[in-house]
Each structure stands twice: as C-alpha cells, then as structure tokens.
Amino acid sequence: MRLQEFVLNKKKALAQRSLNQGGVHNDAPYWYRKTQHSSLDQSSPPQTGVSTYNHPVLGVYNPRDDFPLRKTASEPNLKLRSRLKQKVSERRSSPLLRRRDSPITTAKKRSLDMAGKGRTNIHPKRRDTIHRTMAHHFADFMDGPLKALPFIPPYRWPCLAFEFYFENLHKQTKSVLPVCLPGVSGLSMPSAASIAKLQRQHRPLGRTQSAPLPQGSAAQAHAQALALQQLVVQQQHQQFLEKHKQQFQQQQLHLNKVRKHQCMCGNTNSHPEHAGRIQSIWSRLQETGLRAQCECIRGRKATLEELQTVHSEAHVLLYGTNPLRQKLDCKPLARRCSVTPMFVRLPCGGVGVDSDTIWNEVHSSSAARLAVGSVVELVFKVATGELKNGFAVVRPPGHHAEESTPMGFCYFNSVAIAAKLLQQRLNVNKILIVDWDVHHGNGTQQAFYDDPNVLYISIHRYDDGNFFPGSGAPDEVGSGPGVGFNVNVAFTGGLDPPMGDVEYLAAFRSVVMPIANEFAPDIVLVSSGFDAVEGHPPPLGGYTLTSKCFGYLTRQLMGLAGGRVVLALEGGHYLTAICDASEACVAALLGQQLEPLPNAVLEQRPNPNAVRSLERVLDTHSKYWRSVQRFSPRLGLSLKEAKRGDSEEAEAVSAMASLSVANTSSSSSSTVDQRSDTRPAQKPFGFF
C-alpha cells in the first residue's frame, strides 16, 4: 500500500513534468515509462509494448499477463490513505528503505494487517503485477544487471540474490569457489527444477515489511568470501582429522590384537618375541618420515581355507580357532584330526607349544591369523600392480612353522601361504623366496621342497647342524621335480670369526643373484629377519652385520621381477638393530640414496670359514645352475677386487665378440660387396 501511494505521487509529478515539457521525459524511471499509459481502473488493457522472452531459469514471461494496479477491498479509507500519503512523501526516495529511527505506528501495523487479511480478494494476475512493479523499482534502485531480468516474484529474491552474489564475487576476486563442503551433501546454485518446486509450494505471504537493502561493497564481498573459504578449510580439515582418526583407530585395533599375543606370565623381558618389536619399528618409520611416504594398507585375518594351503586341517583348527570351542569339542576334534593339542608349562609360569614358543589361549590365534592375512593382502597388491613393493611389519613370525608343527615363535607360515595363494589364484609361474633370517626357514623349505616353480634361497647360520633349527644343509637341494630349486647358503664355522657384511655381500654376489637372475622370477618374497644384525646374543644370532647392509641387499633384489619385491618381518629381537635395518630396507624400497658402505668393507676379503661354506654351495649347485660356475675362482676376493675382475671379464668378452665379427667379415669378403662393410655388426651371444 505504501508502494502504491509512492507510485501515484511519482506518476503525478512526472505527468506534470511531461506536460510542461511537451511529452515524456527521458529521465523518467523505467517503471514509469512502462506503466505511464496504464490506469488504476480494472478495465485497463494489459501492456503490449514489451515482447515475450524466455529466461533459462525463471521461465517464459508474457507481457499480456502484466495487469496494472487496482484498488482492492483491503485498502484503507480516504482519510487514512491521505495520512499515509503525507508520511510516505516525507520518506527517502526509495520506498524500500526506511529510517531506523521511525518505528512502525499502530495505524501502519493495522493497515498492513488489513492488507494481509484481504489478500485473498486480489486476483492472481493483479498480485503478479504488484510483484512485477516492485521488482522493476528494485532494479532501478540497484542500477545493476537486474534491469534486464523478467518478472521475479518476491519469494524468489533470496535465491537469486544468492546466485548473483556468488557470480559477481567470482568475477571480482578471480578465485575458484568450492562446489561442495566436506560432510554435507553439497553447496550449489538453484536449478530450474528446484525453482519449479518452490513455485508449486509457494503461498503468498500475509504480512511483509520492507527491509533495507544490503549496502554491499567490494571489501565486504571479499570479506564474506574469505569467511566462506575459511569455513570450507575448517570443514575439510575436520574431515581430514576424522579420516586419519579412523585409520589410527583401526591401526590401534590391530596393534591391540598383536599386543595381547603375549605370555600369560606378563613378563616380556624373558621372552624375545614380544609386541614391542613392531611398535618400535612403526615408531621409527614415523619419526624418520618414511611412513608418510608409504601407503599403509589395512590388514585382515587369514581365513581357515587360506591357512590350509600350507598347513594341515588339524593344525589350523588347533591354532587358528577359538580355544574355548576347542575345549568344548575336544573329543570330536581329536577323532576328526587324530591329534590332540600339546602344551607345556614354561619356566616363567606361562603356557607354550614348546619350550620357547608361548601360547595365549585367547589372543594368540587371532594375532597369528592377522599376520598371515596382512602379508597375503600386501603380496597380492604388489603382484597385481596396485603397489610397486612393500614391507609387512607383522608378528608373530612364520618361516619356522611346518605343516603340522608350530615352533620357533611361529604358528603359520605367512610367506609360504602367500606364495601358495599366488599360484592358485593368480597363476604366478615363478616365485623367488629369499630368507636372510639368521635361522634356517625349515617350514618354507618343507612347503616347496618338490616344487620347481618356487625357488627358495636361504642364508643362515648352520654350524654343521648345531644351530637352531638344525636344518638347512647345503646338500638339501629339493626332491623330485624340485631338485636344484632349494638353495641353502649354510655358513659353518661358529663365531670365530662371526659373519658380517663382507660375507653376506659375497654370498649375494656369487650365489644368490646369479641363480636368481637365471631363474627370472615374476615376484620376489623376502623372509626378512634381522637377527643377523650386530647386537643379538649368540643363542639368537651372534653375527655382526650392519643395518645398512640389508638396504644394499634389498636394492639388489629390486633389480629382479620388475621391482616387485615384498619383505615380511620374521626374526630380530634387539630393538635398535631391527629398527635401523627396517629403516634401511624401507628407504631402499622407496628408491632413496643409501649411505655408502665404508672402504673397510669394500676392501676386506671374506673370512676362510665363509669361503669354504660358499665353495661347498657352489660345488653342490653348479650342476643345476650354469651361472654360478665362473664364481668359484673368485670367492676369496674383496668387493673391489671382484668388481675389477668383472670389468676385465666384460672387456675380454667384448674383445672376443669383436674378433669373432671381424673374422666373419674377412672370410666372406670375396663374396660380399664392399657396401656391406657399412652394416652394423650383430651382438654376440652364448658367452657367460
């Protein structure tokens, strides 16, 4: 009603100005130029001076639907109308802006209420005309892009103002605004479907008031944009924290399962294999930043079917299921498996499966199955190309576990099970298993003793069978079709002197890498025990390897199988040593530059006990692998001497190849045209 009074006053003033100047003035507002020929009479025809146009969101606008204002039954009497007219004329030029120091009087409230009660008497098209007139005046006041817009009902103004605000803000700040916020369904502009839905649900408001327009500016818009971006960053950060909190909780859940695998006596100092091993390695990788460069995958429990690829059904049921059910079903299980669980009382007061392998009735089976499942999961991701390589930090170890016997802290052979599943599920043809734990992996050797598709190479302390577990002699080469595919680099001679970096590098140079290259595996699995590192007492190791040596051994294995190498933690009980060795191996897997070996290691020759042990291995396997035949004369050389000898041999081979090509060219010169001398010589073959 106030707007109507304002329009009438403006119309009269402009009409008078037009009469004085002889026509319509060019400075007349758009809403007056459009409606100056209309009247308040209901019988006035609709305007036809504006053509019909279609807006992509608001729809089609037809000027024939534009009816002028008319007097309604809800309007006040003439006296009230004149008072309102007088007060409106005292206001500012814009009818949508009112002074804050002039509150709405009771008469105004009553008139607005009367207008709201009488809204049902207004014809819909007349109501649209009122809305349209307000929109046009709003456009003139803003002096902005809203002039070109079609009729906009008032209930759609907030959405459109929101849309134009973001559009103009984007043009001003030249920044990309986020499309959606983390944790919510998304922040988007109103679509045609949403506006149509609003139109269907819209009901005219009964009472409105003209609020002041926002006094926007570039600075205010920029401040609001910064506030919005800060909100987005906070929500993204919150989502990031939630994600890592879930990962941390999952890791803690797995660690808790592993931690609970401990002796029931509660004294971890008397048991070398304890949860602190993997906790220390994990902390070291976090401190050095290596863990952040790796993708940490989620572990899982191995299924009973997966465990039975290597172990017997009785073994799986006894050590892989809930021990409470075992007690309830003891007799049926004994009849089914023809075996009963055997446990011994340990000196500490706890329970074990043998004199040094503890058993926790509630948690040991879960921890052992989780270790197997984690290794299998990692191996399959590397084999399928999802990951390049990997290192499984798990416990308990597994390479001592045989088909029906747990021993040496091991219950299920993780690496052997992973290799079996690769053969069964992915049809991997050639698998190389390298075991550099100081103890021989008797369980892995047993699993593949007659399999020619799995090459097992173990470097261990043997001492003529007097070191645990007593197996792994050099003449244990396999059986049946697997003859020659079981290689035991068995060091004999005790600790006088102990084996170190020089001896292990010599074994890799003369035995491991030549046979591995000739075998040409599709994937390399490593039983990565670190109990050969210096610091382990003689009963658990006694050797003096440095941690950085294992980084160089890993780097050499990465030259096989296209770099598909997976390390699985086995033994190693001196925490500082296994942390240093794990750090070196992970750095090598990441392709980082390794700390160079000292000159003393490069210039030192292997000790006589190591040379004799390697000679025995070469004599045994020279009949199966041609690549090891040329290394027998050079076993006693240092790394520098061996490298110099390799260079001289390579030069000799190249000279022999050139001489062979030259003789071939001279013998056929009488029958070959002179132009044939320009052809490139063929590369030699058949030399070793």
Side-chain angles (χ1 to χ4, degrees), residues 270-379:
S270 59
H271 299 282
E273 208 291 304
H274 54 83
R277 298 172 60 239
I278 63 173
Q279 289 177 339
S280 301
I281 295 175
W282 192 255
S283 299
R284 172 66 65 85
L285 297 179
Q286 285 182 320
E287 293 171 359
T288 56
L290 294 175
R291 191 201 67 82
Q293 305 178 41
C294 303
E295 179 179 349
C296 300
I297 66 172
R298 180 178 178 179
R300 64 173 180 86
K301 277 188 178 182
T303 65
L304 299 180
E305 291 76 11
E306 291 173 338
L307 299 177
Q308 292 185 38
T309 56
V310 171
H311 301 281
S312 65
E313 183 182 14
H315 183 86
V316 170
L317 292 175
L318 288 174
Y319 301 105
T321 58
N322 192 329
L324 299 178
R325 190 179 66 184
Q326 294 177 11
K327 292 181 178 180
L328 295 176
D329 302 335
C330 182
K331 293 182 179 180
L333 182 63
R335 290 195 301 268
R336 181 180 178 184
C337 304
S338 299
V339 102
T340 56
M342 299 296 295
F343 298 106
V344 298
R345 178 67 63 180
L346 301 179
C348 64
V351 178
V353 297
D354 57 24
S355 59
D356 57 0
T357 305
I358 64 98
W359 177 255
N360 189 303
E361 289 190 349
V362 181
H363 304 291
S364 292
S365 60
S366 298
R369 289 177 60 177
L370 182 60
V372 175
S374 300
V375 173
V376 171
E377 196 73 12
L378 177 60
V379 168

Side-chain angles (χ1 to χ4, degrees), residues 23-335:
V24 179
H25 197 271
N26 293 332
D27 295 334
Y30 169 79
W31 58 268
Y32 175 73
R33 294 199 303 269
K34 182 178 178 184
T35 62
Q36 55 87 22
H37 62 278
S38 303
S39 66
L40 294 178
D41 189 4
Q42 185 177 2
S43 60
S44 299
Q47 301 177 15
T48 58
V50 183
S51 61
T52 303
Y53 56 92
N54 186 7
H55 190 272
V57 176
L58 300 177
V60 178
Y61 166 65
N62 191 350
R64 297 181 180 273
D65 297 334
D66 187 8
F67 285 87
L69 297 175
R70 66 177 178 85
K71 181 179 178 181
T72 62
S74 61
E75 293 181 357
N77 54 29
L78 296 178
K79 293 183 180 181
L80 180 59
R81 183 174 181 179
S82 61
R83 289 198 300 270
L84 290 176
K85 178 180 178 180
Q86 181 179 1
K87 290 190 177 183
V88 168
S89 61
E90 296 175 358
R91 291 186 176 274
R92 299 179 183 179
S93 58
S94 175
L96 299 180
L97 290 177
R98 61 180 178 86
R99 296 178 182 177
R100 297 182 179 178
D101 54 354
S102 58
I104 300 177
T105 61
T106 307
K108 292 180 181 179
K109 293 183 179 180
R110 186 181 300 110
S111 62
L112 291 176
D113 293 338
M114 292 173 63
K117 294 179 180 178
R119 67 183 183 276
T120 55
N121 298 327
I122 302 178
H123 192 274
K125 292 186 178 181
R126 298 293 182 180
R127 190 183 305 113
D128 291 344
T129 302
I130 299 174
H131 295 166
R132 188 179 302 108
T133 306
M134 295 176 66
H136 291 320
H137 187 78
F138 177 77
D140 284 341
F141 177 80
M142 292 297 295
D143 194 20
L146 291 179
K147 283 185 176 181
L149 288 178
F151 162 59
I152 306 174
Y155 62 85
R156 290 163 67 174
W157 288 355
C159 296
L160 291 172
F162 181 74
E163 179 178 2
F164 289 124
Y165 167 74
F166 275 91
E167 181 181 355
N168 295 332
L169 180 62
H170 175 68
K171 293 179 181 178
Q172 293 174 6
T173 60
K174 304 297 183 182
S175 61
V176 179
L177 295 177
V179 177
C180 62
L181 304 177
V184 299
S185 58
L187 178 63
S188 60
M189 301 308 175
S191 60
S194 62
I195 292 179
K197 183 178 180 180
L198 285 175
Q199 290 176 343
R200 291 192 301 267
Q201 296 178 352
H202 168 63
R203 295 181 180 178
L205 298 177
R207 180 175 182 270
T208 61
Q209 64 178 7
S210 56
L213 292 175
Q215 302 295 329
S217 63
Q220 183 180 2
H222 184 65
Q224 293 177 353
L226 292 179
L228 177 62
Q229 292 178 356
Q230 184 178 6
L231 176 62
V232 172
V233 170
Q234 291 177 354
Q235 292 185 356
Q236 289 178 345
H237 181 65
Q238 187 66 25
Q239 185 184 28
F240 175 81
L241 293 178
E242 290 294 334
K243 177 181 178 181
H244 283 266
K245 180 180 179 181
Q246 293 177 0
Q247 293 181 353
F248 178 77
Q249 291 176 349
Q250 188 66 33
Q251 294 170 0
Q252 291 299 317
L253 179 62
H254 290 176
L255 288 176
N256 289 335
K257 292 182 179 179
V258 174
R259 290 193 194 102
K260 293 177 181 178
H261 167 59
Q262 59 183 356
C263 185
M264 301 181 68
C265 70
N267 185 9
T268 58
N269 296 327
S270 59
H271 299 282
E273 208 291 304
H274 54 83
R277 298 172 60 239
I278 63 173
Q279 289 177 339
S280 301
I281 295 175
W282 192 255
S283 299
R284 172 66 65 85
L285 297 179
Q286 285 182 320
E287 293 171 359
T288 56
L290 294 175
R291 191 201 67 82
Q293 305 178 41
C294 303
E295 179 179 349
C296 300
I297 66 172
R298 180 178 178 179
R300 64 173 180 86
K301 277 188 178 182
T303 65
L304 299 180
E305 291 76 11
E306 291 173 338
L307 299 177
Q308 292 185 38
T309 56
V310 171
H311 301 281
S312 65
E313 183 182 14
H315 183 86
V316 170
L317 292 175
L318 288 174
Y319 301 105
T321 58
N322 192 329
L324 299 178
R325 190 179 66 184
Q326 294 177 11
K327 292 181 178 180
L328 295 176
D329 302 335
C330 182
K331 293 182 179 180
L333 182 63
R335 290 195 301 268

Side-chain angles (χ1 to χ4, degrees), residues 533-587:
V533 180
E534 185 178 7
H536 288 82
L540 294 176
Y543 283 178
T544 59
L545 274 75
T546 62
S547 300
K548 67 178 66 176
C549 179
F550 285 96
Y552 279 90
L553 300 184
T554 303
R555 178 66 55 84
Q556 294 186 54
L557 293 178
M558 290 174 64
L560 303 169
R564 291 183 291 273
V565 180
V566 178
L567 278 63
L569 182 65
E570 295 285 0
H573 313 286
Y574 178 48
L575 297 184
T576 302
I578 64 177
C579 290
D580 294 341
S582 299
E583 179 183 350
C585 291
V586 174

Side-chain angles (χ1 to χ4, degrees), residues 418-684:
K420 286 284 188 180
L421 293 174
L422 284 178
Q423 291 179 318
Q424 296 177 3
R425 297 179 181 178
L426 298 182
N427 296 323
V428 179
N429 294 325
K430 295 182 178 180
I431 302 173
L432 170 62
I433 299 179
V434 177
D435 190 340
W436 60 43
D437 190 283
V438 75
H439 304 91
H440 177 245
N442 54 296
T444 309
Q445 173 176 295
Q446 182 192 67
F448 303 104
Y449 202 64
D450 58 353
D451 190 347
N453 296 319
V454 178
L455 173 62
Y456 177 66
I457 303 178
S458 177
I459 307 176
H460 54 273
R461 179 181 174 184
Y462 179 60
D463 292 349
D464 294 325
N466 295 318
F467 191 74
F468 181 86
S471 58
D475 56 358
E476 297 175 4
V477 297
S479 63
V483 172
F485 292 92
N486 194 88
V487 181
N488 286 317
V489 182
F491 286 117
T492 296
L495 303 178
D496 189 23
M499 307 300 169
D501 292 353
V502 176
E503 289 73 27
Y504 269 62
L505 291 172
F508 256 69
R509 182 184 74 246
S510 59
V511 179
V512 178
M513 294 309 298
I515 296 178
N517 281 300
E518 187 175 349
F519 179 68
D522 298 321
I523 190 173
V524 180
L525 309 181
V526 182
S527 288
S528 183
F530 298 128
D531 39 12
V533 180
E534 185 178 7
H536 288 82
L540 294 176
Y543 283 178
T544 59
L545 274 75
T546 62
S547 300
K548 67 178 66 176
C549 179
F550 285 96
Y552 279 90
L553 300 184
T554 303
R555 178 66 55 84
Q556 294 186 54
L557 293 178
M558 290 174 64
L560 303 169
R564 291 183 291 273
V565 180
V566 178
L567 278 63
L569 182 65
E570 295 285 0
H573 313 286
Y574 178 48
L575 297 184
T576 302
I578 64 177
C579 290
D580 294 341
S582 299
E583 179 183 350
C585 291
V586 174
L589 292 175
L590 290 172
Q592 297 183 1
Q593 186 175 2
L594 302 178
E595 184 180 352
L597 293 171
N599 289 329
V601 175
L602 299 177
E603 297 175 355
Q604 182 181 352
R605 294 183 174 182
N607 64 59
N609 292 333
V611 172
R612 285 192 292 269
S613 300
L614 293 176
E615 286 178 347
R616 186 177 177 184
V617 175
L618 293 180
D619 292 342
T620 302
H621 285 277
S622 59
K623 66 184 77 171
Y624 308 115
W625 307 97
R626 294 185 299 172
S627 57
V628 301
Q629 296 174 359
R630 63 187 182 94
F631 287 96
S632 296
R634 297 187 294 174
L635 286 176
L637 301 179
S638 65
L639 287 176
K640 284 188 175 180
E641 294 171 342
K643 185 176 181 180
R644 190 181 306 114
D646 293 340
S647 300
E648 294 175 355
E649 182 179 0
E651 292 176 359
V653 169
S654 179
M656 294 176 61
S658 301
L659 180 61
S660 176
V661 173
N663 292 337
T664 303
S665 301
S666 61
S667 62
S668 58
S669 59
S670 58
T671 59
V672 178
D673 187 73
Q674 293 181 355
R675 291 174 296 178
S676 63
D677 295 338
T678 62
R679 293 179 297 176
Q682 296 180 352
K683 294 182 179 180

